Amino acid sequence: MNDKEPIYRGHRPRRQMALWLGFFVALAALTLYLRFHELATQGLWSDELFSVSSITQVGAGRPWYAYEKKSFPYLRMEDSFLTWKAGENSPPLFEVLLWLWCQVFGWSDFAVRSMSALLGSLAPLVLFIGLRRPLGAWSAAGAALIFALSPSAVTYAQEVRGYALLMLLASIAVVRLVRYVLADDGQRSHWGSSFKVDVAIYLLLSYTHYTGLVLACGLTGLRWVLAKRRGWPLREFGWFAALPALLAPWLYLNWFAMASAGAGYYGWSDYAWADVWSLLLPKATEFFLPQPSIQVVQAFIGLPKAVGVFLARPYALPATLTLALLGAALGACKRAAADAAPRRVHDPRWLLCLGLALLVVMHFGYGIYTAFHARVWHARYFSAMLPVGMAVFALLFSLAGQHRLARLFPLCAVLLACAVSVPTLRAYYQNPWKEDYREASRYIVQNTQGRPTVVATWAANAAYYNYYLRRFMADAGRSYELTTVGQSGDLTAGVAALCQRRWAPGEQVVLFQHSAHRLYFDMVNRHCAGALQMVSERQFRGLFVNFYQATGAAASPQ
């Protein structure tokens, strides 16, 4: 049986067709279950609240297209949708689709997350359907199963962010490249291999996340190299010029925030080369494989130390030169033998595998550049590379199929990935870690009387604190005042102005803050001494809620 033959042809045995159809149904059920399981158990967290708030509670009374040049720390809830998205430094496609989705399915936590869950469920199915013909059903099935069980893929498919859409579009893009390179000449001229379609997909990738633009450039470069190497027409690559032309309007709006972030003004850490080996590389590896992979990477990280110890020995230089000469001699003999042998056509799957793996490495290098210059790095920026890594797995599985015991290597790899993925997913479901704005807001509503004043600390994050609060207050038929203490450059002045307000005796003031920003609590206690008396404090996951009562006296700052 030739594994590379299509599986849905009439001359194939019905049992074989039923087997793979059954696998597809089981894969679909597995991906849907994992991504919809416990979908609304915990409330939306900060990053999700930014996406949802940008289409629900910002820019009240202003048109969505009213634009002001701002970067993230200076955003206000009064700013328009376009200002928010340009200030966040990410393209707006996901939020536009989310708004359309919620017009149909509503605004519950389950509804707003369900779009990402559905998109994330489709990505492994696209990988299986798209790669089964060029690489064989066994290879495509193995890679798709690893993709379906990937903790990273499941995690980001349960978030109201653009990463699930990014993974789906990246899956389509990489599948199209593999099919283009491995297609017969007659099939390559079909519209399904047209580069115009690829450019349209690349445009959607770029308007989803800027890492999608990086992937689009990488895939185009790889396609050009393979096409030139094999003598295929290159005229179609002129269509790629449409990508920057159609992306230019958004880049113009986003350029100010992009330049500010690129200069490192709003980064959260200063990275050094030691962090590349101890933090960035293990975290990036963990994105593709679960926790046990970190130990493997750390073992490789320890190799340079062993090499350094070896080079310090007196016999290191002669031994190294001897090994180098021996290797050069063996390489010369091998090249001479290859020149004497009849030339064979290289399997393009090797070139594809190498090229796609190189894209992942280059993306990691781009991440290092971003960490050093923008002082920002996160493993989630590898979302666009996850389908690329799965395609590399599928290519390796397919290449292993040329030899005896061909099924053993893919089977062992899949079983190993499943063995380490399932416990990680179980821990993910059982141990939520994101900020619990929903329960904290419910607690505030249940424990306030009258018309309380809620201090949502930093102005740029006020929408996060207000999202659930306004809903629960409306359900309870209550009103409240929401205020902030300013932005990052004037916190002291903002807190001082807050404390100079003339509170009515007995009035409730609630300080709603992130657990990483306890400085607001300390500043309020110092500047509002005498005017506000703390009554109680309650800690939630990632958040603090402090209740104060106004004394009626003037503040005596300490």
Side-chain angles (χ1 to χ4, degrees):
M1 182 179 66
N2 184 6
D3 187 42
K4 288 190 65 177
E5 285 191 19
I7 63 174
Y8 299 126
R9 288 184 179 176
H11 70 274
R12 303 292 282 172
R14 292 184 177 180
R15 186 172 60 182
Q16 187 77 2
M17 295 175 61
L19 170 66
W20 291 115
L21 181 59
F23 173 81
F24 177 80
V25 172
L27 181 67
L30 177 65
T31 56
L32 287 168
Y33 171 77
L34 292 176
R35 286 150 181 79
F36 280 89
H37 181 60
E38 305 283 0
L39 189 60
T41 299
Q42 57 178 322
L44 307 181
W45 70 295
S46 297
D47 283 13
E48 295 177 291
L49 287 172
F50 187 98
S51 294
V52 179
S53 296
S54 67
I55 56 175
T56 57
Q57 59 170 336
V58 303
R62 304 186 66 183
W64 66 268
Y65 51 83
Y67 171 72
E68 292 183 50
K69 187 186 295 184
K70 286 187 175 183
S71 56
F72 174 75
Y74 301 95
L75 292 176
R76 294 290 188 275
M77 289 177 60
E78 297 77 19
D79 295 324
S80 68
F81 165 77
L82 194 61
T83 300
W84 265 64
K85 285 305 299 175
E88 188 207 10
N89 199 23
S90 67
L93 177 61
F94 174 77
E95 282 75 13
V96 173
L97 295 178
L98 180 64
W99 183 85
L100 295 173
W101 176 273
C102 292
Q103 297 305 309
V104 178
F105 298 101
W107 297 94
S108 67
D109 290 350
F110 185 89
V112 296
R113 280 184 174 145
S114 60
M115 187 181 83
S116 292
L118 180 61
L119 296 174
S121 300
L122 292 175
L125 304 180
V126 167
L127 199 74
F128 172 67
I129 295 174
L131 296 184
R132 66 176 180 82
R133 285 183 181 271
L135 300 182
W138 285 97
S139 303
L145 186 57
I146 295 176
F147 196 2
L149 289 168
S150 167
S152 299
V154 173
T155 299
Y156 293 112
Q158 291 197 324
E159 289 190 1
V160 193
R161 296 291 283 172
Y163 302 113
L165 176 61
L166 189 67
M167 285 188 282
L168 176 60
L169 293 172
S171 299
I172 297 173
V174 73
V175 160
R176 286 184 57 83
L177 176 64
V178 173
R179 292 173 70 95
Y180 165 79
V181 174
L182 301 182
D184 297 331
D185 291 338
Q187 296 176 336
R188 192 173 294 108
S189 59
H190 190 261
W191 70 270
S193 298
S194 172
F195 190 58
K196 300 176 187 177
V197 179
D198 290 275
V199 170
I201 296 170
Y202 296 162
L203 182 64
L204 295 177
L205 273 169
S206 302
Y207 267 103
T208 301
H209 199 275
Y210 286 131
T211 55
L213 175 61
V214 175
L215 175 62
C217 295
L219 292 178
T220 301
L222 181 57
R223 179 172 175 141
W224 185 87
V225 169
L226 294 173
K228 185 172 179 60
R229 179 182 177 86
R230 306 189 71 178
W232 296 336
L234 301 177
R235 292 190 303 274
E236 64 179 3
F237 288 93
W239 285 100
F240 187 75
L243 182 62
L246 294 174
L247 194 59
W250 178 254
L251 291 176
Y252 172 77
L253 295 175
N254 189 214
W255 191 257
F256 176 75
M258 188 186 302
S260 300
Y265 295 146
Y266 313 122
W268 54 69
S269 180
D270 292 312
Y271 294 92
W273 281 108
D275 298 319
V276 174
W277 310 112
S278 62
L279 177 64
L280 273 58
L281 184 57
K283 285 292 185 182
T285 306
E286 182 188 358
F287 192 86
F288 291 94
L289 294 172
Q291 287 282 353
S293 62
I294 296 182
Q295 299 175 359
V296 178
V297 174
Q298 288 174 340
F300 280 104
I301 291 173
L303 287 178
K305 288 186 177 180
V307 173
V309 172
F310 169 75
L311 292 177
R313 304 296 183 185
Y315 54 78
L317 183 58
T320 303
L321 290 176
T322 303
L323 290 174
L325 291 174
L326 181 60
L330 291 175
C333 293
K334 184 177 180 180
R335 180 178 293 276
D339 292 339
R343 292 193 174 274
R344 298 179 300 172
V345 178
H346 292 289
D347 192 330
R349 288 178 293 175
W350 281 112
L351 296 176
L352 257 179
C353 185
L354 180 62
L356 292 175
L358 186 61
L359 285 186
V360 176
V361 174
M362 292 176 64
H363 194 84
F364 180 71
Y366 169 74
I368 295 175
Y369 173 84
T370 303
F372 279 34
H373 289 79
R375 301 173 58 241
V376 172
W377 188 90
H378 202 288
R380 66 168 62 103
Y381 300 150
F382 275 88
S383 298
M385 289 293 126
L386 190 57
V388 179
M390 298 303 129
V392 171
F393 289 157
L395 285 162
L396 291 174
F397 296 164
S398 176
L399 289 164
Q402 302 175 36
H403 309 290
R404 294 179 180 179
L405 301 177
R407 302 287 184 262
L408 185 60
F409 170 67
L411 180 61
C412 291
V414 171
L415 291 177
L416 179 62
C418 294
V420 297
S421 294
V422 171
T424 305
L425 286 173
R426 186 183 298 115
Y428 163 72
Y429 292 129
Q430 295 176 351
N431 301 300
W433 58 271
K434 299 165 185 174
E435 301 99 334
D436 202 351
Y437 289 92
R438 186 172 63 188
E439 294 307 313
S441 299
R442 183 176 284 118
Y443 173 78
I444 292 174
V445 175
Q446 293 172 349
N447 291 273
T448 53
Q449 297 86 32
R451 188 174 186 271
T453 298
V454 179
V455 183
T457 59
W458 196 28
N461 292 347
Y464 305 169
Y465 302 102
N466 193 53
Y467 179 75
Y468 287 111
L469 193 62
R470 66 169 188 163
R471 180 193 301 179
F472 295 153
M473 283 288 193
D475 292 343
R478 304 266 306 282
S479 63
Y480 66 102
E481 178 186 353
L482 182 74
T483 187
T484 65
V485 294
Q487 56 201 26
S488 58
D490 61 355
L491 291 181
T492 303
V495 173
L498 175 73
C499 296
Q500 294 303 316
R501 295 178 56 170
R502 305 301 297 178
W503 311 98
E507 183 176 350
Q508 282 185 314
V509 179
V510 182
L511 183 61
F512 200 178
Q513 60 186 324
H514 197 280
S515 60
H517 301 151
R518 291 293 283 167
L519 66 97
Y520 298 107
F521 172 74
D522 298 331
M523 294 174 70
V524 168
N525 285 346
R526 291 199 310 268
H527 287 271
C528 298
L532 296 178
Q533 180 180 0
M534 194 177 79
V535 177
S536 65
E537 177 180 87
R538 177 76 179 271
Q539 182 175 2
F540 295 84
R541 191 171 58 247
L543 299 166
F544 281 100
V545 175
N546 294 93
F547 275 80
Y548 293 86
Q549 188 175 41
T551 63
S556 301
Q558 297 178 0

